[in-house]
C-alpha cells in the first residue's frame, strides 16, 4: 500500500565536517533527491535543486567525485582507495 505524503516537507541535512561544506554530502543529497523524484514530484528549494542538478551532471562518476573530495583525498593519502570504491556504489542492499 502506497501512501501519498506529497503535502509534507522532507528536510535533508548535509552535515559537512567541522562546520565546512562537503561535496560528498551534496552529491549524496542529490542522489537521494533523484530517487525521491523518481516516485513522485516535490517542490524543491534552491539548494535542493542545486544538489539535484550537481548529482545529475555527475551521476555516472561517483568514484571520481569522491576521489576529488577532501575526505577522498585523505583516504587516498592513506592508501584506502578501496574504501572509496565501496562507498561509491549506489542502490546496493544487504540481504540477510
Amino acid at each position: 500500500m502506497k501512501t501519498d505524503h506529497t503535502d509534507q516537507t522532507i528536510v535533508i541535512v548535509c552535515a559537512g565536517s567541522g562546520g565546512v561544506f562537503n561535496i560528498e554530502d551534496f552529491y549524496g543529497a542529490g542522489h537521494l533527491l533523484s530517487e525521491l523524484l523518481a516516485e513522485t514530484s516535490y517542490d524543491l528549494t534552491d539548494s535542493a535543486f542545486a544538489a539535484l542538478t550537481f548529482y545529475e551532471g555527475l551521476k555516472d562518476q561517483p568514484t571520481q567525485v569522491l576521489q576529488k573530495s577532501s575526505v577522498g583525498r585523505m583516504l587516498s593519502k592513506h592508501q584506502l582507495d578501496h574504501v572509496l570504491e565501496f562507498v561509491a556504489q549506489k542502490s546496493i542492499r544487504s540481504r540477510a
Side-chain angles (χ1 to χ4, degrees):
M1 179 170 132
K2 203 172 198 181
T3 306
D4 181 12
H5 295 287
T6 55
D7 63 333
Q8 297 182 5
T9 300
I10 297 173
V11 177
I12 301 171
V13 178
C14 295
S17 179
V20 178
F21 173 84
N22 277 51
I23 202 76
E24 61 271 17
D25 287 355
F26 195 59
Y27 186 81
H31 179 239
L32 177 58
L33 287 164
S34 177
E35 294 294 317
L36 288 170
L37 290 169
E39 298 292 323
T40 190
S41 63
Y42 293 93
D43 292 327
L44 301 179
T45 63
D46 288 351
S47 56
F49 175 72
L52 178 64
T53 302
F54 177 75
Y55 169 76
E56 287 177 339
L58 296 166
K59 67 182 169 188
D60 296 326
Q61 301 175 54
T63 303
Q64 293 86 340
V65 169
L66 293 174
Q67 286 172 331
K68 292 182 185 292
S69 72
S70 57
V71 171
R73 291 189 310 271
M74 185 254 328
L75 289 171
S76 289
K77 178 180 174 184
H78 295 287
Q79 289 81 44
L80 295 171
D81 294 297
H82 64 282
V83 174
L84 285 174
E85 293 289 331
F86 178 78
V87 298
Q89 299 176 81
K90 298 184 216 173
S91 301
I92 61 167
R93 291 174 178 82
S94 176
R95 301 194 190 247

Coordinates of all heavy atoms in Angstrom, one line a residue:
M1 N 0.8 -1.2 0.0 CA 0.0 0.0 0.0 C 0.9 1.2 0.0 O 1.8 1.4 0.8 CB -0.9 0.0 1.2 CG -1.8 1.2 1.4 SD -3.0 0.9 2.7 CE -2.8 2.4 3.5
K2 N 0.7 2.1 -1.0 CA 1.5 3.3 -1.1 C 0.7 4.5 -0.5 O -0.5 4.7 -0.8 CB 1.7 3.6 -2.6 CG 2.9 4.4 -2.9 CD 3.2 4.4 -4.3 CE 4.6 4.8 -4.6 NZ 4.9 4.9 -6.0
T3 N 1.3 5.3 0.3 CA 0.7 6.4 1.0 C 1.2 7.7 0.3 O 2.4 7.8 0.1 CB 1.0 6.4 2.5 OG1 0.7 5.2 3.0 CG2 0.3 7.5 3.2
D4 N 0.3 8.6 0.1 CA 0.7 9.9 -0.5 C 1.1 10.9 0.6 O 0.3 11.2 1.4 CB -0.5 10.4 -1.3 CG -0.1 11.7 -2.0 OD1 1.0 12.1 -2.1 OD2 -1.1 12.4 -2.5
H5 N 2.4 11.3 0.6 CA 2.9 12.3 1.5 C 3.3 13.6 0.8 O 4.2 14.3 1.4 CB 4.0 11.7 2.3 CG 3.6 10.5 3.2 ND1 2.9 10.6 4.3 CD2 3.8 9.2 3.0 CE1 2.7 9.5 4.9 NE2 3.2 8.5 4.1
T6 N 2.9 13.8 -0.4 CA 3.4 15.0 -1.1 C 3.1 16.3 -0.5 O 3.7 17.3 -0.8 CB 2.8 14.9 -2.5 OG1 1.4 14.9 -2.5 CG2 3.4 13.8 -3.3
D7 N 2.2 16.3 0.5 CA 1.9 17.6 1.2 C 2.8 17.8 2.4 O 2.6 18.8 3.1 CB 0.4 17.6 1.6 CG 0.0 16.5 2.6 OD1 0.7 15.5 2.6 OD2 -0.9 16.7 3.4
Q8 N 3.7 16.9 2.6 CA 4.6 17.0 3.8 C 6.0 17.5 3.3 O 6.4 17.3 2.2 CB 4.7 15.7 4.5 CG 3.3 15.3 5.1 CD 3.4 14.0 5.8 OE1 4.4 13.4 6.0 NE2 2.2 13.6 6.3
T9 N 6.7 18.0 4.3 CA 8.1 18.5 4.0 C 9.1 17.5 4.3 O 9.0 16.8 5.4 CB 8.4 19.8 4.8 OG1 7.4 20.8 4.5 CG2 9.8 20.3 4.6
I10 N 10.1 17.3 3.4 CA 11.2 16.5 3.7 C 12.5 17.4 3.8 O 12.7 18.2 3.0 CB 11.5 15.5 2.5 CG1 10.3 14.5 2.4 CG2 12.8 14.7 2.8 CD1 10.4 13.6 1.2
V11 N 13.2 17.2 4.9 CA 14.4 18.0 5.1 C 15.6 17.1 5.0 O 15.7 16.1 5.7 CB 14.4 18.7 6.5 CG1 15.6 19.5 6.8 CG2 13.1 19.6 6.6
I12 N 16.5 17.4 4.2 CA 17.8 16.7 4.0 C 18.9 17.6 4.6 O 19.1 18.7 4.1 CB 18.1 16.3 2.6 CG1 16.9 15.5 2.0 CG2 19.4 15.6 2.4 CD1 17.0 15.3 0.5
V13 N 19.6 17.1 5.6 CA 20.6 17.8 6.3 C 22.0 17.3 5.8 O 22.2 16.1 6.0 CB 20.5 17.8 7.8 CG1 21.6 18.6 8.5 CG2 19.1 18.3 8.2
C14 N 22.8 18.1 5.3 CA 24.2 17.8 4.9 C 25.0 18.2 6.1 O 25.2 19.4 6.3 CB 24.6 18.4 3.6 SG 23.6 17.9 2.2
A15 N 25.6 17.3 6.8 CA 26.4 17.6 8.0 C 27.7 18.3 7.7 O 28.1 19.1 8.5 CB 26.6 16.3 8.8
G16 N 28.3 18.0 6.6 CA 29.7 18.6 6.4 C 30.6 18.0 7.4 O 30.4 16.9 8.0
S17 N 31.7 18.7 7.6 CA 32.7 18.3 8.5 C 33.4 19.5 9.2 O 33.9 20.4 8.5 CB 33.8 17.5 7.8 OG 34.8 17.1 8.7
G18 N 33.3 19.6 10.5 CA 33.9 20.7 11.2 C 33.3 22.1 10.8 O 34.0 23.1 10.7
G19 N 32.0 22.1 10.4 CA 31.3 23.3 10.0 C 31.6 23.7 8.6 O 31.3 24.8 8.2
V20 N 32.2 22.8 7.8 CA 32.6 23.1 6.5 C 31.8 22.2 5.5 O 31.6 21.0 5.8 CB 34.1 22.9 6.3 CG1 34.6 23.2 4.8 CG2 34.9 23.8 7.2
F21 N 31.4 22.8 4.4 CA 30.7 22.1 3.3 C 31.5 20.9 2.8 O 32.7 21.0 2.7 CB 30.5 23.1 2.1 CG 29.9 22.5 0.9 CD1 28.6 22.3 0.7 CD2 30.8 22.1 -0.1 CE1 28.1 21.8 -0.4 CE2 30.3 21.6 -1.3 CZ 28.9 21.4 -1.4
N22 N 30.8 19.8 2.6 CA 31.5 18.6 2.0 C 30.8 18.2 0.7 O 29.5 18.1 0.7 CB 31.4 17.4 2.9 CG 32.4 17.4 4.0 OD1 32.6 18.4 4.7 ND2 33.1 16.3 4.1
I23 N 31.5 18.0 -0.4 CA 31.0 17.7 -1.7 C 30.3 16.3 -1.7 O 29.3 16.1 -2.3 CB 32.1 17.8 -2.8 CG1 31.4 18.0 -4.1 CG2 32.9 16.6 -2.8 CD1 30.9 19.4 -4.4
E24 N 30.8 15.4 -0.9 CA 30.2 14.1 -0.8 C 28.8 14.1 -0.2 O 27.9 13.4 -0.6 CB 31.0 13.0 -0.1 CG 31.4 13.3 1.3 CD 32.6 14.1 1.5 OE1 33.1 14.8 0.6 OE2 33.1 14.1 2.7
D25 N 28.5 15.0 0.7 CA 27.2 15.2 1.3 C 26.2 15.7 0.2 O 25.1 15.3 0.1 CB 27.2 16.2 2.5 CG 27.8 15.6 3.7 OD1 28.1 14.4 3.8 OD2 27.9 16.3 4.7
F26 N 26.7 16.7 -0.5 CA 26.0 17.4 -1.5 C 25.6 16.4 -2.6 O 24.4 16.4 -3.1 CB 26.8 18.6 -2.1 CG 26.0 19.6 -2.9 CD1 25.0 20.3 -2.3 CD2 26.4 19.9 -4.2 CE1 24.3 21.3 -3.1 CE2 25.7 20.8 -4.9 CZ 24.7 21.5 -4.4
Y27 N 26.6 15.6 -3.1 CA 26.3 14.6 -4.1 C 25.3 13.6 -3.6 O 24.4 13.2 -4.3 CB 27.7 13.9 -4.4 CG 27.6 13.0 -5.6 CD1 27.6 13.4 -6.9 CD2 27.5 11.6 -5.4 CE1 27.6 12.5 -8.0 CE2 27.5 10.7 -6.4 CZ 27.5 11.2 -7.7 OH 27.5 10.3 -8.8
G28 N 25.5 13.1 -2.4 CA 24.5 12.2 -1.8 C 23.1 12.7 -1.7 O 22.2 12.0 -1.9
A29 N 23.0 14.0 -1.3 CA 21.7 14.6 -1.2 C 21.1 14.6 -2.6 O 19.9 14.4 -2.7 CB 21.8 16.0 -0.6
G30 N 21.8 14.9 -3.6 CA 21.3 14.9 -5.0 C 20.9 13.6 -5.4 O 19.8 13.4 -6.1
H31 N 21.6 12.5 -5.0 CA 21.2 11.2 -5.3 C 19.9 10.8 -4.6 O 19.0 10.2 -5.2 CB 22.3 10.2 -4.9 CG 22.0 8.7 -5.2 ND1 21.9 7.8 -4.2 CD2 21.7 8.1 -6.3 CE1 21.6 6.6 -4.7 NE2 21.4 6.8 -6.0
L32 N 19.8 11.1 -3.4 CA 18.6 10.9 -2.6 C 17.4 11.6 -3.3 O 16.3 11.0 -3.5 CB 18.7 11.3 -1.2 CG 17.5 11.2 -0.3 CD1 17.0 9.7 -0.2 CD2 17.8 11.7 1.1
L33 N 17.6 12.9 -3.6 CA 16.5 13.6 -4.3 C 16.1 13.0 -5.6 O 14.9 12.9 -6.0 CB 16.9 15.1 -4.6 CG 17.0 15.9 -3.3 CD1 17.8 17.2 -3.6 CD2 15.6 16.3 -2.9
S34 N 17.1 12.5 -6.4 CA 16.8 11.8 -7.7 C 15.9 10.6 -7.4 O 15.0 10.4 -8.2 CB 18.1 11.4 -8.3 OG 17.9 10.7 -9.5
E35 N 16.2 9.8 -6.4 CA 15.5 8.6 -6.1 C 14.0 9.0 -5.6 O 13.1 8.4 -6.0 CB 16.1 7.8 -5.0 CG 17.5 7.2 -5.4 CD 17.3 6.1 -6.5 OE1 16.4 5.3 -6.4 OE2 18.1 6.2 -7.5
L36 N 13.9 10.0 -4.8 CA 12.6 10.5 -4.4 C 11.8 11.0 -5.5 O 10.6 10.7 -5.6 CB 12.7 11.6 -3.3 CG 13.2 11.2 -1.9 CD1 13.5 12.4 -1.1 CD2 12.2 10.3 -1.2
L37 N 12.4 11.7 -6.4 CA 11.6 12.3 -7.5 C 11.3 11.3 -8.6 O 10.4 11.5 -9.4 CB 12.4 13.5 -8.2 CG 12.5 14.7 -7.3 CD1 13.6 15.7 -7.8 CD2 11.2 15.4 -7.1
A38 N 11.9 10.1 -8.5 CA 11.5 9.1 -9.5 C 10.1 8.5 -9.1 O 9.5 7.9 -9.9 CB 12.6 7.9 -9.4
E39 N 9.8 8.7 -7.8 CA 8.5 8.2 -7.3 C 7.3 9.2 -7.4 O 6.2 8.8 -7.6 CB 8.7 7.8 -5.8 CG 9.7 6.6 -5.6 CD 9.2 5.3 -6.2 OE1 8.0 5.0 -6.1 OE2 10.0 4.6 -6.7
T40 N 7.6 10.4 -7.2 CA 6.6 11.5 -7.2 C 7.3 12.8 -7.4 O 8.5 12.9 -7.4 CB 5.8 11.4 -5.9 OG1 4.6 12.3 -6.0 CG2 6.6 11.8 -4.7
S41 N 6.5 13.9 -7.4 CA 7.1 15.2 -7.6 C 7.1 16.0 -6.3 O 6.2 15.8 -5.4 CB 6.4 16.0 -8.7 OG 5.1 16.2 -8.3
Y42 N 8.0 16.9 -6.1 CA 8.1 17.7 -4.9 C 8.5 19.1 -5.4 O 9.2 19.3 -6.4 CB 9.2 17.2 -3.9 CG 8.8 15.9 -3.3 CD1 9.3 14.7 -3.8 CD2 8.1 15.9 -2.1 CE1 9.0 13.5 -3.2 CE2 7.8 14.7 -1.5 CZ 8.2 13.5 -2.1 OH 7.9 12.3 -1.5
D43 N 8.2 20.1 -4.6 CA 8.7 21.5 -4.8 C 10.0 21.5 -4.1 O 10.2 21.2 -3.0 CB 7.7 22.5 -4.2 CG 6.4 22.6 -4.9 OD1 6.4 22.4 -6.1 OD2 5.4 22.9 -4.2
L44 N 11.1 21.9 -4.9 CA 12.4 21.9 -4.4 C 12.9 23.4 -4.0 O 12.5 24.3 -4.7 CB 13.4 21.4 -5.4 CG 13.2 20.0 -5.9 CD1 14.2 19.6 -6.9 CD2 13.2 19.0 -4.7
T45 N 13.6 23.4 -2.9 CA 14.3 24.7 -2.6 C 15.4 24.9 -3.6 O 15.8 24.0 -4.3 CB 14.9 24.7 -1.2 OG1 15.9 23.6 -1.1 CG2 13.8 24.4 -0.1
D46 N 16.0 26.1 -3.6 CA 17.1 26.3 -4.5 C 18.3 25.4 -4.2 O 19.0 24.9 -5.1 CB 17.6 27.8 -4.4 CG 16.6 28.8 -5.0 OD1 15.7 28.3 -5.7 OD2 16.8 30.0 -4.8
S47 N 18.6 25.2 -2.9 CA 19.7 24.3 -2.5 C 19.4 22.8 -2.9 O 20.3 22.1 -3.4 CB 20.0 24.4 -1.0 OG 18.9 24.1 -0.2
A48 N 18.2 22.4 -2.8 CA 17.8 21.0 -3.2 C 18.0 20.9 -4.8 O 18.5 20.0 -5.3 CB 16.4 20.7 -2.8
F49 N 17.5 22.0 -5.5 CA 17.6 22.0 -6.9 C 19.1 21.9 -7.3 O 19.5 21.2 -8.2 CB 16.9 23.2 -7.5 CG 17.1 23.3 -9.0 CD1 16.5 22.5 -9.9 CD2 18.0 24.3 -9.5 CE1 16.7 22.6 -11.2 CE2 18.2 24.4 -10.9 CZ 17.5 23.6 -11.7
A50 N 19.9 22.7 -6.6 CA 21.4 22.7 -6.9 C 22.0 21.3 -6.7 O 22.8 20.9 -7.5 CB 22.1 23.8 -6.1
A51 N 21.7 20.7 -5.6 CA 22.2 19.4 -5.3 C 21.8 18.4 -6.3 O 22.6 17.6 -6.8 CB 21.8 18.9 -3.9
L52 N 20.5 18.4 -6.7 CA 20.0 17.5 -7.7 C 20.7 17.7 -9.1 O 21.1 16.8 -9.7 CB 18.5 17.7 -7.9 CG 17.8 16.9 -9.0 CD1 17.9 15.4 -8.7 CD2 16.3 17.3 -9.1
T53 N 20.8 19.0 -9.5 CA 21.5 19.3 -10.7 C 22.9 18.9 -10.7 O 23.4 18.3 -11.7 CB 21.4 20.8 -11.0 OG1 20.0 21.2 -11.0 CG2 22.0 21.2 -12.3
F54 N 23.6 19.1 -9.6 CA 25.0 18.7 -9.5 C 25.1 17.1 -9.6 O 25.9 16.6 -10.4 CB 25.6 19.1 -8.1 CG 27.0 18.6 -7.8 CD1 28.1 19.2 -8.5 CD2 27.2 17.6 -7.0 CE1 29.4 18.8 -8.2 CE2 28.5 17.1 -6.7 CZ 29.6 17.7 -7.4
Y55 N 24.2 16.4 -8.9 CA 24.2 15.0 -9.0 C 24.0 14.5 -10.4 O 24.6 13.6 -10.9 CB 23.2 14.4 -8.0 CG 23.0 12.9 -8.3 CD1 23.9 12.0 -7.9 CD2 21.9 12.4 -9.0 CE1 23.8 10.6 -8.1 CE2 21.7 11.1 -9.2 CZ 22.7 10.2 -8.8 OH 22.5 8.9 -9.1
E56 N 22.9 15.0 -11.0 CA 22.6 14.6 -12.4 C 23.7 14.8 -13.4 O 23.9 14.0 -14.3 CB 21.3 15.3 -12.8 CG 20.0 14.8 -12.1 CD 18.8 15.5 -12.5 OE1 18.8 16.7 -13.0 OE2 17.7 14.9 -12.3
G57 N 24.5 15.9 -13.2 CA 25.6 16.1 -14.1 C 26.7 15.1 -13.9 O 27.6 14.9 -14.8
L58 N 26.8 14.5 -12.7 CA 27.9 13.6 -12.4 C 27.5 12.3 -11.9 O 28.3 11.5 -11.3 CB 28.8 14.3 -11.3 CG 29.5 15.6 -11.7 CD1 30.0 16.3 -10.5 CD2 30.6 15.3 -12.7
K59 N 26.2 11.9 -12.2 CA 25.7 10.6 -11.6 C 26.4 9.4 -12.1 O 26.4 8.4 -11.4 CB 24.2 10.5 -11.9 CG 23.8 10.3 -13.4 CD 22.3 10.3 -13.5 CE 21.9 10.4 -15.0 NZ 20.5 10.5 -15.1
D60 N 27.1 9.4 -13.2 CA 27.9 8.3 -13.7 C 29.3 8.3 -13.2 O 30.1 7.5 -13.7 CB 27.8 8.2 -15.2 CG 26.4 7.9 -15.7 OD1 25.6 7.3 -15.0 OD2 26.0 8.5 -16.8
Q61 N 29.7 9.2 -12.3 CA 31.1 9.4 -11.9 C 31.2 9.4 -10.4 O 31.9 10.3 -9.8 CB 31.6 10.7 -12.5 CG 31.6 10.7 -14.0 CD 32.0 12.0 -14.5 OE1 33.1 12.5 -14.2 NE2 31.2 12.7 -15.3
P62 N 30.5 8.6 -9.6 CA 30.6 8.7 -8.1 C 32.0 8.5 -7.6 O 32.4 9.3 -6.7 CB 29.7 7.6 -7.7 CG 29.6 6.6 -8.8 CD 29.7 7.4 -10.0
T63 N 32.8 7.6 -8.1 CA 34.1 7.4 -7.6 C 35.0 8.6 -7.9 O 35.7 9.1 -7.0 CB 34.8 6.2 -8.3 OG1 33.9 5.0 -8.1 CG2 36.2 5.9 -7.7
Q64 N 34.9 9.2 -9.0 CA 35.7 10.4 -9.3 C 35.3 11.6 -8.4 O 36.1 12.4 -8.0 CB 35.5 10.8 -10.8 CG 36.1 9.8 -11.8 CD 35.1 8.7 -12.1 OE1 34.2 8.4 -11.4 NE2 35.4 8.0 -13.2
V65 N 34.0 11.8 -8.2 CA 33.5 12.8 -7.3 C 34.1 12.6 -5.9 O 34.7 13.6 -5.3 CB 32.0 12.9 -7.2 CG1 31.5 13.8 -6.1 CG2 31.4 13.3 -8.5
L66 N 34.0 11.4 -5.4 CA 34.6 11.1 -4.1 C 36.1 11.3 -4.0 O 36.6 11.8 -3.0 CB 34.1 9.7 -3.6 CG 32.6 9.5 -3.4 CD1 32.3 8.1 -3.1 CD2 32.2 10.4 -2.2
Q67 N 36.8 10.9 -5.0 CA 38.2 11.0 -5.1 C 38.7 12.4 -5.0 O 39.7 12.7 -4.4 CB 38.8 10.4 -6.3 CG 38.8 8.9 -6.3 CD 39.2 8.3 -7.7 OE1 39.0 8.9 -8.7 NE2 39.8 7.1 -7.7
K68 N 37.9 13.3 -5.5 CA 38.3 14.8 -5.5 C 37.8 15.5 -4.3 O 38.2 16.6 -4.0 CB 37.7 15.4 -6.8 CG 38.4 14.9 -8.1 CD 37.8 15.6 -9.3 CE 38.4 15.1 -10.5 NZ 39.8 15.3 -10.8
S69 N 37.0 14.8 -3.5 CA 36.6 15.5 -2.2 C 37.7 15.5 -1.2 O 38.7 14.7 -1.3 CB 35.4 14.7 -1.6 OG 35.7 13.5 -1.1
S70 N 37.6 16.3 -0.2 CA 38.6 16.3 0.9 C 38.7 15.0 1.6 O 39.8 14.5 1.9 CB 38.3 17.5 1.9 OG 37.1 17.3 2.5
V71 N 37.6 14.4 1.9 CA 37.7 13.1 2.5 C 38.3 12.0 1.6 O 39.1 11.2 2.0 CB 36.2 12.6 3.0 CG1 36.2 11.2 3.4 CG2 35.7 13.5 4.1
G72 N 37.9 12.1 0.3 CA 38.5 11.2 -0.7 C 40.0 11.3 -0.8 O 40.7 10.3 -0.9
R73 N 40.5 12.6 -0.8 CA 41.9 12.8 -0.9 C 42.6 12.3 0.4 O 43.7 11.7 0.3 CB 42.2 14.3 -1.1 CG 41.8 14.8 -2.5 CD 42.3 16.2 -2.8 NE 42.0 17.2 -1.7 CZ 40.9 17.9 -1.6 NH1 39.9 17.7 -2.5 NH2 40.7 18.8 -0.6
M74 N 42.0 12.4 1.5 CA 42.6 11.9 2.8 C 42.6 10.4 2.7 O 43.6 9.8 3.1 CB 41.7 12.4 4.0 CG 42.3 12.0 5.3 SD 41.5 10.7 6.2 CE 39.8 10.7 5.8
L75 N 41.5 9.7 2.2 CA 41.6 8.3 2.2 C 42.6 7.8 1.2 O 43.3 6.8 1.5 CB 40.2 7.8 1.7 CG 39.1 7.9 2.8 CD1 37.7 7.5 2.2 CD2 39.4 7.0 4.0
S76 N 42.8 8.5 0.0 CA 43.8 8.1 -0.9 C 45.2 8.2 -0.3 O 46.1 7.4 -0.6 CB 43.7 8.9 -2.2 OG 42.5 8.5 -2.9
K77 N 45.4 9.3 0.4 CA 46.7 9.6 1.0 C 47.1 8.4 1.9 O 48.3 8.1 2.1 CB 46.6 10.9 1.8 CG 47.9 11.2 2.5 CD 47.7 12.5 3.3 CE 48.9 12.8 4.2 NZ 48.7 14.0 5.0
H78 N 46.1 7.8 2.5 CA 46.4 6.6 3.4 C 46.1 5.3 2.8 O 45.9 4.3 3.5 CB 45.5 6.8 4.7 CG 45.9 8.0 5.5 ND1 47.0 8.1 6.3 CD2 45.2 9.2 5.6 CE1 47.1 9.3 6.8 NE2 46.0 10.0 6.5
Q79 N 46.2 5.3 1.4 CA 46.1 4.0 0.7 C 44.7 3.3 1.0 O 44.7 2.1 1.0 CB 47.2 3.1 0.9 CG 48.5 3.5 0.3 CD 49.3 4.6 1.1 OE1 49.4 4.4 2.3 NE2 49.8 5.6 0.5
L80 N 43.7 4.0 1.1 CA 42.3 3.5 1.3 C 41.4 3.7 0.2 O 40.2 3.9 0.3 CB 41.7 4.1 2.6 CG 42.5 3.7 3.9 CD1 42.0 4.5 5.1 CD2 42.4 2.2 4.2
D81 N 41.9 3.6 -1.1 CA 41.1 3.8 -2.3 C 40.0 2.7 -2.4 O 39.0 3.0 -2.9 CB 42.0 3.8 -3.5 CG 42.9 5.0 -3.5 OD1 42.4 6.1 -3.6 OD2 44.2 4.7 -3.5
H82 N 40.3 1.5 -1.8 CA 39.2 0.5 -1.9 C 38.0 0.9 -1.1 O 36.9 0.5 -1.4 CB 39.8 -0.8 -1.3 CG 40.2 -0.8 0.1 ND1 41.3 -0.2 0.6 CD2 39.5 -1.2 1.2 CE1 41.4 -0.3 1.9 NE2 40.3 -0.9 2.3
V83 N 38.2 1.8 -0.1 CA 37.0 2.3 0.7 C 36.2 3.2 -0.2 O 35.0 3.2 -0.2 CB 37.5 3.0 2.0 CG1 36.3 3.7 2.7 CG2 38.2 2.1 2.9
L84 N 36.9 4.0 -1.0 CA 36.2 4.9 -2.0 C 35.4 4.1 -3.0 O 34.2 4.4 -3.3 CB 37.2 5.8 -2.7 CG 37.8 7.0 -2.0 CD1 38.8 7.6 -2.8 CD2 36.7 7.9 -1.5
E85 N 35.9 3.1 -3.5 CA 35.2 2.2 -4.4 C 34.0 1.6 -3.8 O 32.9 1.5 -4.4 CB 36.1 1.1 -4.9 CG 37.3 1.5 -5.8 CD 36.9 2.1 -7.1 OE1 35.9 1.6 -7.7 OE2 37.6 2.9 -7.6
F86 N 34.1 1.2 -2.6 CA 32.9 0.6 -1.9 C 31.8 1.6 -1.6 O 30.7 1.4 -2.0 CB 33.4 0.0 -0.5 CG 32.2 -0.6 0.3 CD1 31.7 -1.8 -0.1 CD2 31.7 0.1 1.3 CE1 30.6 -2.3 0.6 CE2 30.6 -0.4 2.0 CZ 30.1 -1.6 1.7
V87 N 32.2 2.8 -1.1 CA 31.2 3.8 -0.8 C 30.6 4.5 -2.0 O 29.5 5.1 -2.0 CB 31.6 4.8 0.2 CG1 32.0 4.2 1.6 CG2 32.8 5.7 -0.3
A88 N 31.3 4.4 -3.2 CA 30.8 4.9 -4.4 C 29.6 4.1 -5.0 O 29.0 4.6 -5.9 CB 31.9 5.1 -5.4
Q89 N 29.4 2.9 -4.5 CA 28.4 2.1 -5.0 C 27.0 2.7 -4.7 O 26.8 3.2 -3.6 CB 28.4 0.7 -4.4 CG 29.7 -0.1 -4.8 CD 29.8 -1.4 -4.1 OE1 29.2 -2.3 -4.6 NE2 30.5 -1.4 -3.0
K90 N 26.1 2.6 -5.6 CA 24.7 3.1 -5.4 C 23.7 2.0 -5.4 O 23.8 1.0 -6.1 CB 24.4 4.1 -6.5 CG 25.2 5.3 -6.6 CD 24.7 6.2 -7.7 CE 25.7 6.9 -8.4 NZ 25.2 7.6 -9.6
S91 N 22.7 2.2 -4.6 CA 21.5 1.4 -4.6 C 21.8 -0.1 -4.4 O 21.2 -1.0 -5.0 CB 20.7 1.5 -5.9 OG 20.3 2.9 -6.1
I92 N 22.7 -0.3 -3.5 CA 23.0 -1.7 -3.1 C 22.4 -2.0 -1.8 O 22.2 -1.1 -0.9 CB 24.5 -2.0 -3.0 CG1 25.2 -1.2 -2.0 CG2 25.2 -1.9 -4.4 CD1 26.6 -1.6 -1.7
R93 N 22.0 -3.2 -1.6 CA 21.3 -3.6 -0.3 C 21.9 -4.9 0.2 O 22.1 -5.8 -0.6 CB 19.8 -3.7 -0.5 CG 19.2 -2.4 -0.8 CD 17.7 -2.6 -1.1 NE 17.0 -1.3 -1.4 CZ 17.1 -0.6 -2.5 NH1 17.8 -1.1 -3.5 NH2 16.5 0.5 -2.6
S94 N 22.1 -4.9 1.5 CA 22.5 -6.2 2.1 C 21.3 -7.1 2.3 O 20.2 -6.6 2.8 CB 23.2 -5.9 3.4 OG 23.5 -7.1 4.0
R95 N 21.4 -8.3 2.0 CA 20.2 -9.2 2.2 C 20.6 -10.2 3.3 O 21.6 -10.9 3.1 CB 19.9 -9.9 0.9 CG 19.5 -8.9 -0.1 CD 18.8 -9.5 -1.3 NE 18.7 -8.5 -2.4 CZ 17.6 -8.0 -2.8 NH1 16.5 -8.4 -2.2 NH2 17.6 -7.1 -3.7
A96 N 19.8 -10.3 4.3 CA 20.1 -11.2 5.4 C 19.6 -12.6 5.1 O 18.7 -12.9 4.3 CB 19.4 -10.7 6.6

